[in-house]
Amino acid sequence: MSKIETIVVQGYPIDVEGDYISLTNMVKSKGDDGIPSEVIKNWLNTHNTIDFLAAWESINSNIFKVVGFHHVKENLGNKVLSVKSWVEATDAVGIYAKSGRTGGGTFAHKDIAFEFGAYISPVFKLYLIKEFQRLKEMESRAGDIEWNTRRLLSKAQYVVQTDAVKQYKIPALKIPQNLEFLAYAEEGDILNLAMWGFTAKQWREANVDLAAKGHNVREYASINELMVLSTLEGINASLIKDGISFSSRLVKLKEIAKDQLATLERSKPEYMLRKDELGEFTPFVRNDDKSMFPVRNKLIKKAS
């Protein structure tokens, strides 16, 4: 789950979790005595609202239960609808409620939160959009700086690996000069296989348009992946010097990649976002996903 950030809209703090904005905080910004949960329920229990939510889910989620939606709509007015019951009935991912002394309350995807903002006040909605965009622009700039730094470090470590190939692997295997490029390509692929489970060629075949523009898989890696990749390159260089076989090195590098990535995912989950074809950071795709990113993923389901 993303780190909680805070924006200030017309003097009121609003929590933001990734692309999700706190509706509870938005209600508090009204400055009246309204109970946030009741105000949200009043907004939720209208045909216009659930029609909008259903339309959003249909576009953005492939697990939305249309049958559940129709059941909710038929019973609207006979039974008070809560965020929790909406999620349980429809498997909705656009809005969720969570408990907690800090960071608790009801959160909704920005598209839905902006719609709710109009319910609070049209002026408030406009300021909300402005401050949310400002936050995302700041995050994007920070992410780009960090990503570019890690990319440079990975490139530097790659030089260490290629030097090991030149000094140790090529002489040891007595590879002819006209075939030396294959040795370097093989060592590039051992890292791709260890990190992602596919070769550079397989990535190019899965992303023809991007490959034609000279792009490669590393340009779409997450910051955490680039950190691990840099480590793998140094370790692989040492293993090459020790004369360890390709197959044995691949097994070891896979184990290291898996362990280090899992550790970083726990400690730096915000660095699991990877760039997509538009240069924007998108949800992490795990190694067993065959889509071979960069693809725009469906929204990750939020816990209710």
Side-chain angles (χ1 to χ4, degrees):
M1 192 157 288
S2 302
K3 177 183 176 182
I4 296 286
E5 302 283 356
T6 302
I7 58 177
V8 178
V9 182
Q10 291 188 299
Y12 295 95
I14 308 294
D15 288 342
V16 177
E17 188 170 33
D19 279 340
Y20 287 71
I21 301 172
S22 173
L23 303 190
T24 302
N25 291 159
M26 290 169 64
V27 174
K28 291 178 180 178
S29 74
K30 291 179 65 176
D32 56 24
D33 296 327
I35 300 173
S37 60
E38 295 302 316
V39 174
I40 294 170
K41 279 183 181 179
N42 290 338
W43 169 76
L44 185 63
N45 282 265
T46 66
H47 287 283
N48 285 342
T49 296
I50 64 168
D51 283 344
F52 175 81
L53 293 179
W56 188 93
E57 296 289 343
S58 298
I59 294 171
N60 294 282
S61 172
N62 58 2
I63 62 172
F64 182 60
K65 294 180 179 178
V66 178
V67 174
F69 159 64
H70 287 305
H71 179 73
V72 168
K73 191 170 184 177
E74 288 172 0
N75 289 279
L76 199 64
N78 299 324
K79 184 179 179 181
V80 177
L81 181 66
S82 66
V83 171
K84 183 178 179 180
S85 59
W86 166 254
V87 172
E88 289 176 347
T90 64
D91 274 352
V93 300
I95 187 170
Y96 63 92
K98 65 177 186 176
S99 58
R101 296 180 64 181
T102 58
T106 297
F107 285 75
H109 186 270
K110 60 184 178 65
D111 299 339
I112 299 170
F114 295 157
E115 185 76 6
F116 182 70
Y119 178 75
I120 299 295
S121 158
V123 174
F124 179 86
K125 173 185 176 180
L126 293 174
Y127 277 107
L128 175 67
I129 293 173
K130 181 178 180 180
E131 293 305 320
F132 181 83
Q133 290 175 335
R134 192 200 307 274
L135 171 66
K136 292 305 171 182
E137 287 170 3
M138 291 174 60
E139 289 179 349
S140 178
R141 285 196 293 270
D144 278 337
I145 292 171
E146 180 76 16
W147 188 90
N148 287 326
T149 300
R150 296 300 178 184
R151 186 78 171 95
L152 289 172
L153 288 174
S154 179
K155 285 182 177 180
Q157 281 288 62
Y158 190 68
V159 173
V160 175
Q161 176 176 281
T162 55
D163 188 63
V165 173
K166 180 180 180 179
Q167 292 191 42
Y168 298 94
K169 181 174 181 176
I170 291 175
L173 298 179
K174 298 179 180 180
I175 299 173
Q177 187 173 3
N178 64 325
L179 296 178
E180 287 180 357
F181 73 94
L182 294 176
Y184 292 109
E186 184 178 59
E187 293 309 319
D189 269 339
I190 196 174
L191 299 173
N192 291 334
L193 289 167
M195 176 62 70
W196 296 297
F198 52 78
T199 66
K201 180 182 178 182
Q202 289 173 323
W203 186 89
R204 289 194 298 269
E205 291 173 346
N207 298 275
V208 177
D209 291 342
L210 294 174
K213 297 176 182 178
H215 294 198
N216 62 65
V217 61
R218 298 187 186 200
E219 294 176 57
Y220 301 96
S222 71
I223 294 174
N224 279 350
E225 286 172 326
L226 289 175
M227 286 175 17
V228 174
L229 198 60
S230 179
T231 301
L232 294 184
E233 286 166 338
I235 293 173
N236 191 41
S238 296
L239 295 176
I240 291 172
K241 292 178 182 179
D242 293 338
I244 308 300
S245 69
F246 181 93
S247 58
S248 296
R249 284 188 284 119
L250 179 58
V251 171
K252 186 173 185 63
L253 292 172
K254 277 184 175 180
E255 291 175 351
I256 294 171
K258 182 179 179 180
D259 290 344
Q260 291 195 0
L261 202 58
T263 298
L264 290 173
E265 183 176 1
R266 289 193 298 271
S267 62
K268 292 285 186 181
E270 66 273 21
Y271 285 176
M272 295 308 289
L273 296 179
R274 61 159 59 101
K275 287 192 173 183
D276 65 9
E277 70 279 12
L278 299 179
E280 298 177 4
F281 289 100
T282 58
F284 179 67
V285 182
R286 296 184 180 279
N287 292 355
D288 56 1
D289 189 294
K290 303 303 180 184
S291 60
M292 293 190 188
F293 55 87
V295 291
R296 285 193 173 278
N297 307 309
K298 292 294 183 181
L299 289 164
I300 296 173
K301 183 179 180 181
K302 299 285 183 176
S304 60

